[in-house]
Amino acid sequence: MTHMTEQTLVKEAPVKPHLPDAQTVTEVKHYTDRLFSFRCTRPETMRFRSGEFVMIGLMGDPDEKTGKVKPLLRAYSIASPSWDEELEFYSIKVQDGPLTSKLQHIQPGDEIIMRPKPVGTLVHDALIPGKRLWFFATGTGFAPFASLLREPQTYEDYDEVIITHTCREVGELTYGRDLIESLKTDELLNDVIGEGFWKKIKYYPTTTREESPKMGRITDLMRSGEAFTDLGVPQINPETDRAMVCGNLAFNLEIKEMLEGYGLEEGANSKPAQYVVEKAFLD
Ligand code: A2P
């Protein structure tokens, strides 16, 4: 009798198969047809340094021959700061991208897979002390800076923080602009660093394929000197300036060459120096 009841129970209420390393989505925001952000639960034991990335994803489609499903994982910068109880991610949507074609449809309550082993070079530990910190981003490369801009150490360590963000279109700047605006009323940062800490931030958004107040690639705007004039700062130099770079591959290579040209040396966790680079996620 007992046996039968158990069997009936199993049939009526099958246990929902849990994904390995599952976390639950708590919020999703869509910005354009190419960009969205989402938040999810954070494993209690997971520690990370603002600016690091983790592998996240979903289960892939069953293999045509074997029927087996494998996790489909990609490296994503954590966009939330290290002190936040949830995790935030900022993602591109690629209609035929193996992961983002599916990930763009997640809803609160859904599960994603996250391997809780954060790593990365866009961390304060990889830079030696300086006065002015530059964040150079294109597209979704803004994500690690969304973390670092909410990290108290950023303002403890530097007098000035310059964030440049180059995107194709104006709508792609929204996530970054809203985040920077929200810092003005960020209770933790105002408490820890002091009221008005946000005056240390200089925000320099530019677009390349749609009309906006400042047009052009940041690389060209620095080469011509226009960016330095607009920002009211001298050209980058190795005594005072430190930089973190996160964008598409061509951008990273070009900025790297320019920073080396200004006399900055690339740093790493094991050997801190004057600038660090990370590739933004692309599907
Ligand atoms: P552009 O429109 O001139 O290609 P993407 O969406 O392709 O990743 O590009 C994001 C932004 O980065 C775009 O505004 C793009 O400008 C810009 N970009 C691409 N390559 C470079 C580069 N080598 N240097 C500076 N900006 C770049």
Side-chain angles (χ1 to χ4, degrees):
M1 212 36 203
T2 317
H3 183 74
M4 267 193 64
T5 316
E6 269 175 15
Q7 270 202 337
T8 318
L9 257 179
V10 169
K11 265 190 195 150
E12 280 173 3
V15 181
K16 192 178 166 196
H18 266 289
L19 296 174
D21 290 333
Q23 296 302 320
T24 306
V25 175
T26 56
E27 191 185 310
V28 184
K29 280 190 197 166
H30 292 269
Y31 294 91
T32 68
D33 56 2
R34 290 178 69 224
L35 294 167
F36 74 113
S37 71
F38 61 94
R39 294 176 70 84
C40 70
T41 53
R42 172 174 176 169
E44 258 171 47
T45 54
M46 181 189 154
R47 297 282 168 272
F48 71 97
R49 296 173 296 173
S50 294
E52 288 188 312
F53 65 83
V54 282
M55 302 302 289
I56 63 170
L58 297 168
M59 286 314 260
D61 291 329
D63 183 274
E64 275 179 22
K65 284 192 194 129
T66 63
K68 278 194 182 152
V69 286
K70 276 197 275 185
L72 197 56
L73 300 170
R74 296 284 185 274
Y76 267 84
S77 288
I78 303 170
S80 46
S82 58
W83 50 262
D84 202 327
E85 61 188 37
E86 283 188 344
L87 296 172
E88 183 175 311
F89 299 96
Y90 182 48
S91 177
I92 197 160
K93 306 177 205 175
V94 181
Q95 296 319 326
D96 56 359
L99 176 61
T100 63
S101 59
K102 293 178 196 281
L103 195 65
Q104 62 184 288
H105 300 297
I106 53 168
Q107 306 274 351
D110 289 351
E111 287 183 341
I112 59 159
I113 305 167
M114 196 188 77
R115 300 270 189 256
K117 296 253 183 307
V119 285
T121 57
L122 299 186
V123 290
H124 284 303
D125 292 345
L127 294 178
I128 55 173
K131 285 196 183 336
R132 188 180 298 123
L133 179 60
W134 292 80
F135 293 145
F136 292 107
T138 65
T140 54
F142 190 88
F145 305 133
S147 174
L148 285 155
L149 282 163
R150 290 182 272 190
E151 167 59 55
Q153 194 185 348
T154 301
Y155 310 98
E156 282 162 358
D157 287 3
Y158 296 91
D159 298 338
E160 216 171 349
V161 179
I162 300 179
I163 163 89
T164 84
H165 193 195
T166 299
C167 291
R168 297 180 190 190
E169 293 164 13
V170 176
E172 294 171 66
L173 295 169
T174 307
Y175 174 77
R177 172 167 287 131
D178 287 357
L179 186 122
I180 290 165
E181 192 56 35
S182 76
L183 294 175
K184 293 182 183 169
T185 53
D186 187 301
E187 273 182 40
L188 179 108
L189 290 171
N190 276 300
D191 274 4
V192 175
I193 311 298
E195 297 280 331
F197 81 92
W198 51 268
K199 290 181 191 145
K200 287 189 171 190
I201 304 170
K202 286 188 168 160
Y203 174 45
Y204 198 66
T206 78
T207 58
T208 51
R209 303 191 195 186
E210 188 185 357
E211 202 70 37
S212 77
K214 183 54 68 176
M215 297 210 47
R217 292 176 165 197
I218 186 64
T219 40
D220 295 335
L221 292 163
M222 290 208 299
R223 238 179 248 117
S224 70
E226 194 175 329
F228 301 116
T229 309
D230 288 342
L231 288 161
V233 297
Q235 184 177 287
I236 292 175
N237 77 81
E239 274 71 52
T240 52
D241 296 71
R242 304 292 170 258
M244 295 193 185
V245 181
C246 189
N248 63 56
L249 193 58
F251 169 77
N252 287 359
L253 291 172
E254 213 174 309
I255 283 272
K256 189 176 151 81
E257 205 175 290
M258 291 182 72
L259 294 174
E260 299 272 343
Y262 295 133
L264 273 59
E265 277 176 33
E266 185 165 8
N269 277 287
S270 54
K271 190 177 170 292
Q274 290 144 332
Y275 79 92
V276 281
V277 183
E278 203 116 82
K279 196 165 60 128
F281 167 78
L282 282 177
D283 200 346

